Amino acid sequence: MNSFNLINDIIQNNNKFVITTHVNPDGDAIGSELALARYLEKLGKEVRIINHSPTPQFLLFLLGNNEEIELFDSSKHAELISSSDVIFSLDLNQLSRAGSMEEELRTSKAKKVCIDHHEFPEEFADVMLIDTNKSSTGEIIYNFLINSNFQIDYDVALPLYVAIITDTGSFRFDRTTPDVHRLTAQLLETGIDPKFVYREVYEQGTANRIQLLGIALSSLTIADEGKISYMVISKSDLTKTETDEEDVEGFVNYNLTIKGVEVGIFFFEMDDVVKVSFRSVKKVPVNELAKRFNGGGHFHAAGARIHGLELKSAIEKVLNEANKFVKEYK
Ligand code: 5GP
Ligand code: MN
């Protein structure tokens, strides 16, 4: 039986579902969760979406109500997670990326289904539906829903549309295939207004965020004869501009707007970890580079969290490794 049919069987034969995703969820993570949850609800199932991190501001317009996605609280949710029939982990293929929920997910007796499009999966689920050729987890969910003969309506189409536009960088990243455009057209047929969605997702930020971007851009440094570009944001930059974690979303991409740059890196000092975002054009597999620091991701877009190093040492260590990659993958 193929994975779609296995998942259909699991859905048919069970009633209590929990859906979760990775820490610092993006549009694909939240969009995929909402689309699947709304589908399951239409089938009359009990569904809870529970995440380690709060939903970022730019995605709140997708929520039907404040309870649609819950913030994980062990005292409130431990029992629910251990007694649910099925756990879906979406856009999440390594349980360590579930943050504080990792243990509850690992030890739950529920059937586990992982739907994702990243490389290097951990084999933790009963069904691992992983397709690294797909633009987004949202695209896989779309295909699953079509395969299940579900008539996709606006409520399900909207979060899927957001999943796809965010994970393809508005149809410019790898795996933006003709299929992606065709399925997006189908989603638009339900009445989605692209201008409205674009404004909600990308143009409702704060002035403080733009000030933080200014600091990031001023920190831009070119290394390795123009092949590496990197930027840095420290904790004090956030304090100074009264911004928070989610405000740095997308900053890393500015590195790649420079002619000749092949690897773009963004260093972000957080409370007890330095988050590093990697992007590349051409030949450097940044997921392999991220893996050196226990991270992962895609060939051209990856990330890692570095524990136990000061910002300055983390930068040195990563640049040193990135330099080797640039030399090796010419
Ligand atoms: P971003 O730099 O936008 O946070 O992440 C880019 C890509 O790398 C995403 O596909 C994301 O899933 C992956 N990624 C980011 N941070 C981590 C991490 O700490 N561990 C792993 N395994 N993947 C990450
Ligand atoms: Mn994704």
Side-chain angles (χ1 to χ4, degrees):
M1 218 191 288
N2 72 26
S3 299
F4 282 168
N5 295 339
L6 282 172
I7 296 171
N8 261 322
D9 261 21
I10 290 174
I11 290 175
Q12 262 174 22
N13 295 321
N14 290 284
N15 192 41
K16 283 154 74 177
F17 294 79
V18 166
I19 301 178
T20 193
T21 189
H22 54 81
V23 294
N24 304 116
D26 52 14
D28 188 28
I30 299 291
S32 297
E33 288 186 307
L34 290 171
L36 181 65
R38 290 172 186 178
Y39 166 70
L40 293 172
E41 269 160 12
K42 282 173 209 280
L43 298 180
K45 308 290 179 182
E46 276 176 46
V47 192
R48 304 278 285 267
I49 306 177
I50 305 171
N51 293 339
H52 164 91
S53 313
T55 305
Q57 205 70 29
F58 73 98
L59 296 168
L60 290 178
F61 79 102
L62 287 173
L63 300 186
N65 61 64
N66 288 338
E67 282 83 51
E68 198 171 8
I69 297 182
E70 300 170 61
L71 191 60
F72 177 67
D73 171 347
S74 176
S75 63
K76 203 161 112 192
H77 296 124
E79 164 62 19
L80 180 86
I81 291 175
S82 67
S83 68
S84 72
D85 300 329
V86 182
I87 297 171
F88 276 100
S89 41
L90 305 184
D91 207 43
L92 163 75
N93 71 7
Q94 295 168 349
L95 285 181
S96 60
R97 298 258 296 139
S100 55
M101 296 176 67
E102 178 175 357
E103 252 341 275
E104 320 280 3
L105 296 175
R106 224 176 256 296
T107 52
S108 170
K109 298 271 186 304
K111 273 225 171 310
K112 289 168 198 150
V113 180
C114 168
I115 305 181
D116 183 71
H117 67 132
H118 296 99
E119 288 181 55
F120 320 130
E122 171 192 345
E123 294 283 331
F124 68 87
D126 300 279
V127 181
M128 301 280 295
L129 172 51
I130 304 225
D131 189 344
T132 56
N133 293 318
K134 293 291 187 276
S135 63
S136 51
T137 300
E139 182 181 356
I140 305 175
I141 304 266
Y142 173 91
N143 288 327
F144 169 71
L145 296 180
I146 294 296
N147 184 264
S148 311
N149 294 319
F150 176 62
Q151 192 74 38
I152 295 181
D153 58 11
Y154 183 83
D155 292 346
V156 171
L158 182 64
L160 287 179
Y161 179 76
V162 169
I164 288 159
I165 61 167
T166 53
D167 253 31
T168 60
S170 302
F171 307 105
R172 75 189 198 278
F173 295 158
D174 293 337
R175 299 176 301 274
T176 303
T177 57
D179 276 346
V180 169
H181 281 279
R182 273 188 285 269
L183 80 86
T184 305
Q186 293 301 317
L187 298 177
L188 290 176
E189 297 283 1
T190 66
I192 291 169
D193 174 359
K195 203 165 61 189
F196 159 75
V197 179
Y198 192 90
R199 255 191 96 56
E200 289 291 338
V201 173
Y202 296 111
E203 299 179 334
Q204 298 294 315
T206 59
N208 296 31
R209 176 177 183 273
I210 299 300
Q211 268 140 12
L212 185 69
L213 174 63
I215 296 174
L217 295 175
S218 307
S219 78
L220 189 140
T221 309
I222 299 290
D224 286 284
E225 293 156 3
K227 292 200 172 148
I228 295 179
S229 167
Y230 66 93
M231 303 194 293
V232 186
I233 286 290
S234 68
K235 268 192 286 194
S236 66
D237 296 327
L238 290 195
T239 318
K240 226 168 13 197
T241 53
E242 295 175 34
T243 47
D244 57 40
E245 273 174 51
E246 61 185 63
D247 286 308
V248 304
E249 174 85 31
F251 285 9
V252 62
N253 293 312
Y254 285 93
N255 288 299
L256 296 179
T257 63
I258 301 162
K259 189 168 177 173
V261 166
E262 293 182 11
V263 175
I265 310 175
F266 180 69
F267 295 96
F268 180 37
E269 184 188 32
M270 295 168 71
D271 276 340
D272 43 39
V273 69
V274 177
K275 182 174 176 346
V276 190
S277 285
F278 298 97
R279 298 291 185 272
S280 71
V281 287
K282 303 192 181 166
K283 294 184 183 161
V284 177
V286 283
N287 51 1
E288 295 289 346
L289 178 53
K291 221 167 142 188
R292 300 280 163 94
F293 303 95
N294 293 318
H298 308 287
F299 193 99
H300 286 138
R305 283 171 171 72
I306 301 180
H307 295 268
L309 280 185
E310 295 289 318
L311 180 60
K312 196 162 166 280
S313 326
I315 294 174
E316 267 172 32
K317 215 167 160 187
V318 169
L319 287 177
N320 190 26
E321 206 61 35
N323 170 272
K324 289 188 211 155
F325 270 71
V326 166
K327 287 211 168 73
E328 188 178 339
Y329 296 94
K330 274 205 231 183

